[in-house]
Amino acid sequence: MTQHTISKTTSSFAALGRLLRYARGYRRQIIAAATCSVINKLFDIAPEILIGIAIDVVVNQEESFVASLGFESAREQILILAVLTFFIWAGESLFEYLYQILWRNLAQRLQSDLRQDAYEHAQKLDMSFFEARSSGQLVATMNDDVNQLERFLDGGANAMIQVLVTVVAVGAVFFVLSPVIALLAFTPIPLIIWGAFYFQRKAGPLYADVREKVGDLSSRLSNNLGGIATIKSFTAEQREAERLKASSEAYVEANRKAIRISSAFIPVIRMAILAGFLATFIVGGMQALSGALNVGAYGVLVFLTQRLLWPLTGLAEVIDLFERAMASTRRILDLLAEPVQVRDDPGNHLPGPVRGEVTFDGVSFRYPASGAGIDGISLAVPAGNTLALVGATGSGKSTLIKLLLRFYDPDAGRILIDGQPIHEVSLRSLREAIGLVSQDVYLFDGTIRENLAYGRPAASDQQIIDAARTAEAWSFIEALPQGLDTQVGERGVRLSGGQRQRLSLARALLKDPPILVLDEATSAVDNETEAAIQRSLRRIGHNRTVIMIAHRLSTIVDADTIAVIENGKVVQQGSHEQLLERDGPYAAQWRVQTGQAW
């Protein structure tokens, strides 16, 4: 187990307290479910008392306990006990039905809310959170961990309550009938409770490790299935199978350690139960033989001893469920407690209509993990103009785009749209004003129509077709057998790279944003697709602010302003002709790309 895991492993009861605080909106349902569990258990232990009373009736007849209540005939007494037995069993069945309905519905409702809240909170977190965690770990938290908690609420919570009720109710009967035997019967309980807490302390960190290993395994599966083409192309199937086996074996080993601890509980507790039962059996029997204890009362005590002690063996399974659930609860609630770095002001909208003037005013930013970033960048893009950003990989171009979209907030400086600082407006209104076409196109598993209309779900088919035509995507869409209803597959795997890029551009155009951002949108396409996208850009650039990141300088020669960024700073800016005349970094790169450097 890593030091990080150990530092995050807190008391399971503290995790339970956190869960109860989260579920305070379900207080009535929890109280109702717990009440039904208590009543059901009280009905459940009543038949053992009735058996003892029945023995008393058979042995003592007119001098029995029931006779003292006014039922003198032994036959009347038996009939009364039969009626009571019927109502007790009916009551037990009714409240078992009720607590199962209440607990299970509560489990379903709570797990749904936890998953939804965790997902919605995750969407608010800045990109550094996702860059530091694997998607497999997050999926395991939102799915498997939530399901683990659901399993505990389905049965474990009721079991814990009923064990407590059994100890209190049966204990009360014992002390009424025979305080001496009660003390003897209760002697093993401290050992059982101590054993439960001992195993709980031992099992807690082990189950936290199990949850970590589940996340690692999910991450490995997710990564491998997502990169199956790469695995095949490098003939790495066997190597990846071995790596998956290693992750799976680590999960098995973590579970083995936890199972070893939890499995030792029942044998130890069983011997403690035997000691309590023998004490009741022998001492109570001797008292009954000597006449110090009523025969019926002795029967009650013998039957209730097992009722008192045997359910405590279920603590092993309950603790197992509890520890797994609390380990999962910690992970879920830790995710919900992750601080949101990029704060939103949903009530303050970007003033409209948005013209699209973009200003970077002394903007600085550093990534905490790598230390890379930008320093004091100032750029102004008038509304309707095109700004091109060029520079080596890692120079800071994409960082500017991430800051513009507020995936991060700058360490210093401001970014303004139409003179309005973007940190003072809602994220929704900001991002609605910007259309992003990135190098890494992400298409959702669905139809072409669903993907194109993603930013504008109410768009008509004609609007979708118009956007596809503008992006020069309609010709290939129209040629497909199912047209707009063609399934693209996960991440658009059924389409070519150029087709995916054109769909990405069409999706951004259908949104009709006043600011269009192209992050190396033509770097991974062929010459024909690049030419098609260039024609599209010349059409859509009118009356729209365009910010482009490009490695191919031929794609940005018509830009109003070109900014050259090196090591996080703007070292040159101007038009294509002006930068060529200055014979600086841009001109040198132009000569290399056009074959003039030789």
Side-chain angles (χ1 to χ4, degrees), residues 197-526:
F197 281 100
Y198 173 80
F199 284 104
Q200 180 263 326
R201 287 195 302 272
K202 289 289 185 180
L206 297 178
Y207 281 123
D209 192 37
V210 168
R211 303 316 313 150
E212 289 290 332
K213 294 299 187 292
V214 168
D216 293 343
L217 186 57
S218 296
S219 181
R220 174 70 62 195
L221 285 167
S222 177
N223 287 337
N224 284 14
L225 293 175
I228 192 67
T230 303
I231 292 172
K232 287 179 175 292
S233 68
F234 283 92
T235 63
E237 292 93 338
Q238 185 60 37
R239 184 165 71 248
E240 289 302 331
E242 291 296 327
R243 293 172 69 181
L244 179 63
K245 183 179 180 180
S247 295
S248 183
E249 288 298 323
Y251 173 56
V252 170
E253 177 62 18
N255 258 311
R256 187 186 65 78
K257 293 177 181 177
I259 291 169
R260 185 175 60 194
I261 292 294
S262 62
S263 297
F265 183 74
I266 288 182
V268 171
I269 300 308
R270 189 188 298 271
M271 300 311 296
I273 291 170
L274 176 61
F277 179 77
L278 287 177
T280 304
F281 185 78
I282 294 171
V283 175
M286 294 299 179
Q287 288 187 349
L289 289 174
S290 67
L293 182 65
N294 183 285
V295 174
Y298 173 61
V300 171
L301 292 175
V302 169
F303 282 117
L304 285 184
T305 300
Q306 282 200 315
R307 273 293 186 184
L308 172 66
L309 299 176
W310 186 251
L312 295 177
T313 60
L315 282 177
E317 183 177 353
V318 172
I319 288 174
D320 186 72
L321 279 172
F322 179 71
E323 283 302 329
R324 289 177 183 268
M326 292 307 105
S328 294
T329 297
R330 283 192 292 272
R331 284 161 55 96
I332 300 164
L333 296 181
D334 285 347
L335 173 58
L336 284 169
E338 281 286 340
V340 177
Q341 303 294 342
V342 178
R343 293 292 178 182
D344 190 14
D345 184 2
N348 191 19
H349 301 293
L350 192 64
V354 178
R355 302 191 314 277
E357 177 187 338
V358 178
T359 304
F360 296 92
D361 181 16
V363 177
S364 298
F365 175 78
R366 291 285 167 187
Y367 294 99
S370 65
I374 56 176
D375 291 311
I377 288 184
S378 294
L379 291 168
V381 190
N385 277 24
T386 297
L387 167 69
L389 303 173
V390 299
T393 300
S395 60
K397 306 182 300 299
S398 294
T399 299
L400 279 174
I401 302 306
K402 292 175 181 178
L403 293 172
L404 175 63
L405 285 159
R406 284 199 75 198
F407 291 162
Y408 303 92
D409 278 333
D411 299 330
R414 300 184 304 166
I415 302 174
L416 303 94
I417 293 180
D418 294 347
Q420 177 74 36
I422 63 172
H423 66 272
E424 296 178 0
V425 301
S426 70
L427 290 172
R428 183 179 182 87
S429 66
L430 168 67
R431 291 169 183 168
E432 283 181 342
I434 302 171
L436 174 65
V437 182
S438 64
Q439 176 184 7
D440 183 20
V441 177
Y442 191 95
L443 298 180
F444 295 91
D445 190 9
T447 65
I448 289 177
R449 177 187 283 103
E450 290 167 344
N451 274 280
L452 292 183
Y454 189 73
R456 192 176 172 185
S460 66
D461 275 5
Q462 189 56 53
Q463 290 171 322
I464 293 173
I465 292 170
D466 289 343
R469 281 201 173 104
T470 304
E472 300 213 11
W474 181 244
S475 58
F476 85 81
I477 295 173
E478 193 176 27
L480 294 170
Q482 293 177 290
L484 288 172
D485 294 317
T486 300
Q487 294 285 333
V488 302
E490 190 174 3
R491 298 183 66 92
V493 69
R494 298 178 185 174
L495 303 175
S496 70
Q499 289 172 333
R500 291 196 296 270
Q501 198 72 62
R502 294 189 205 188
L503 290 183
S504 178
L505 180 58
R507 179 169 61 186
L509 294 179
L510 184 60
K511 183 181 175 182
D512 194 25
I515 302 169
L516 182 63
V517 175
L518 305 171
D519 188 355
E520 300 188 39
T522 63
S523 64
V525 299
D526 55 36

